[in-house]
Structures are given as C-alpha cells and as structure tokens.
Amino acid sequence: MIGLGNWLAHVDTMFFKGDAIIKVYDKNGEYGFDLELPSDMDIPEFKIYDITEDGNTLNAKASVDLLQGKEIDLSFIFEGDTASGFLKIPYIGKIKIKEAKKIS
C-alpha cells in the first residue's frame, strides 16, 4: 500500500486558504481516505470511495449531497515524503494540492 500516513497540505482557493490534513490509512486491506480541515470551516459531509492504486498514485471518487449526484475526482501522487494532486469538483473546477508533506 502506498501513501499511508498523514499529509499536511496548504490549500489556496477562493473558498478556502489554509492547511488541510489528508489521512491515508489501511482499512482491513483496503484504502481509507479522510480529509481534515480547520474546525471553523463549515463543509458539508462527504464520502470517499472507489479508491484505486496505480503505481505511486491513488485515485478516488467522492460524493457530497449538495452536488446532487455528481462526483468529485481525487488523485494524489506520492513520492517519498511528499505528495501532490488535485480534487476536481463539479461547478468549482480543479483544486491543486502541491508539496504536501508527510507528518506521521
């Protein structure tokens, strides 16, 4: 399994600027994936699923009720203690994650 651990990423979008923690974990032989944002950020509940491994990349889908059935695409490339990737969100566009650092 690749990318296991907690990753600190700085996010800079028109909706949110700050640090996020991306958690990648082993869930009984399958990938688990969580996103932790500051507690003062009001975000809708979301579900991450269909996590697949392709070399050093994890791809996943996510859903949020507000998107009325449309899916969010996630992709993260892991290289040693750094990671980069993106979230492609309908109606918003692509949010790039650059130079995430492994913190644990």
Side-chain angles (χ1 to χ4, degrees):
M1 297 187 98
I2 62 167
L4 298 179
N6 295 331
W7 301 82
L8 180 65
H10 184 73
V11 179
D12 188 359
T13 71
M14 71 175 130
F15 301 105
F16 170 71
K17 290 182 183 181
D19 291 332
I21 297 177
I22 302 160
K23 297 180 176 188
V24 182
Y25 56 93
D26 181 350
K27 187 170 83 175
N28 298 321
E30 295 182 8
Y31 281 102
F33 210 108
D34 286 326
L35 182 62
E36 187 177 293
L37 296 170
S39 59
D40 63 340
M41 173 125 188
D42 187 24
I43 61 166
E45 189 171 325
F46 58 91
K47 178 183 173 189
I48 300 174
Y49 53 92
D50 287 344
I51 303 168
T52 59
E53 181 180 326
D54 182 15
N56 64 341
T57 303
L58 289 181
N59 297 301
K61 301 282 186 192
S63 64
V64 177
D65 287 341
L66 294 175
L67 294 177
Q68 303 170 346
K70 296 194 182 297
E71 293 181 317
I72 297 170
D73 293 317
L74 297 93
S75 183
F76 289 96
I77 300 167
F78 297 94
E79 297 180 28
D81 288 342
T82 62
S84 61
F86 66 86
L87 288 82
K88 187 173 178 187
I89 304 172
Y91 311 115
I92 295 174
K94 191 181 274 190
I95 297 173
K96 293 181 182 179
I97 307 293
K98 298 178 184 177
E99 299 179 9
K101 306 273 189 239
K102 188 168 188 176
I103 56 174
S104 63

